[in-house]
Amino acid sequence: MSDQSTAHPRHVVVLAHPDPNSFNASVVRTYCETVRSCGQEAIVRDLYAIGFDPALKADERPHAQAIALSPDVQAELAAIAEADIYTLVYPIWFAMPPAMLTGYIDRVLGAGITVNEIQDRAGESVLSGRHMLSITSSGTREVWLDEQGQVESLRNLIGKYLLHAFGMKSCEHLHLGGVVEGLDKGFVDQSLYEVHERARKVCAMLAAERHAASASLSVSDRS
């Protein structure tokens, strides 16, 4: 977690959608506006806008004998350092996250972690000791995705696996289904309200966590 002397909890929001006018981009704007209205910090990493390269390099592989992080990965790690929570916003395409996002996980969020460290939960990455929230969208309704086992699959892949492999504190998921062209304004407003409420809940959790940590430090200082 970020330094407890830091004034505000920090949210790193990762957007993986190529259209800056997409529903997903609106989700990011709503989330960040809510976070900032709660007095917390929001840092957006729009992967398509920054031209992130999702292709894993040979010497970045988890089983490489000598893992060497490329300059772009080192720069990205510096940009997202000291987050309290990583919020991933992305659509579900062909039952999977966009390749841009999986490449970001491969190259950045899991950077420098070996296979043995993952199995033993002994590695240290930017995710270690942090929280994660995934906000996903799909053209189909969530009930249909559930019938295909898709929602549970995503929760296992982006949720449970990362939670345990990287020693994260928590990993939650909000899915917004039925996102198609020509959306009704009422549907959009309701969906963004759900995002707003989830962001408020996350902010309250981080504020309480920060307060508890500060109180603990104060007690330690007096002892």
Side-chain angles (χ1 to χ4, degrees):
M1 181 179 296
S2 54
D3 188 338
Q4 297 302 326
S5 64
T6 301
H8 308 295
R10 179 176 298 171
H11 302 239
V12 167
V13 185
V14 180
L15 172 61
H17 197 291
D19 184 355
N21 298 312
S22 66
F23 175 80
N24 283 256
S26 296
V27 166
V28 168
R29 285 192 292 272
T30 297
Y31 183 92
C32 291
E33 287 169 3
T34 304
V35 166
R36 290 163 183 153
S37 72
C38 291
Q40 299 185 14
E41 183 181 3
I43 299 169
V44 177
R45 305 305 294 165
D46 183 337
L47 301 186
Y48 286 91
I50 66 176
F52 178 74
D53 178 5
L56 186 72
K57 309 303 181 278
D59 52 3
E60 294 174 344
R61 293 171 298 165
H63 59 278
Q65 290 186 348
I67 297 176
L69 301 183
S70 302
D72 64 326
V73 171
Q74 295 180 38
E76 187 62 20
L77 287 170
I80 67 173
E82 301 300 332
D84 292 88
I85 184 168
Y86 292 92
T87 298
L88 311 181
V89 181
Y90 60 95
I92 298 173
W93 288 336
F94 301 106
M96 295 178 290
M100 180 67 85
L101 180 66
T102 56
Y104 191 80
I105 294 172
D106 287 345
R107 299 193 66 217
V108 178
L109 299 185
I113 304 299
T114 67
V115 172
N116 287 337
E117 287 173 335
I118 290 174
Q119 291 177 337
D120 298 337
R121 301 181 187 178
E124 280 291 328
S125 78
V126 292
L127 297 178
S128 301
R130 271 69 171 185
H131 300 278
M132 178 176 283
L133 169 63
S134 291
I135 304 178
T136 57
S137 65
S138 65
T140 54
R141 296 287 182 179
E142 185 169 0
V143 63
W144 186 87
L145 288 176
D146 267 335
E147 290 172 356
Q148 316 310 310
Q150 183 56 42
V151 174
E152 185 61 25
S153 176
L154 278 173
R155 286 173 179 153
N156 285 330
L157 175 66
I158 306 294
K160 293 179 182 178
Y161 181 86
L162 296 182
L163 174 69
H164 296 297
F166 295 112
M168 299 174 64
K169 283 189 173 181
S170 71
C171 195
E172 297 188 3
H173 184 202
L174 170 63
H175 182 71
L176 304 167
V179 178
V180 295
E181 292 291 334
L183 285 173
D184 175 78
K185 183 179 183 300
F187 175 88
V188 173
D189 289 346
Q190 176 59 36
S191 297
L192 295 182
Y193 177 74
E194 290 182 43
V195 173
H196 167 76
E197 286 299 297
R198 181 59 66 92
R200 285 185 58 198
K201 178 182 175 182
V202 168
C203 287
M205 179 267 294
L206 293 179
E209 192 174 79
R210 182 65 61 85
H211 177 75
S214 296
S216 177
L217 285 174
S218 296
V219 171
S220 298
D221 290 342
R222 290 196 298 268
S223 61

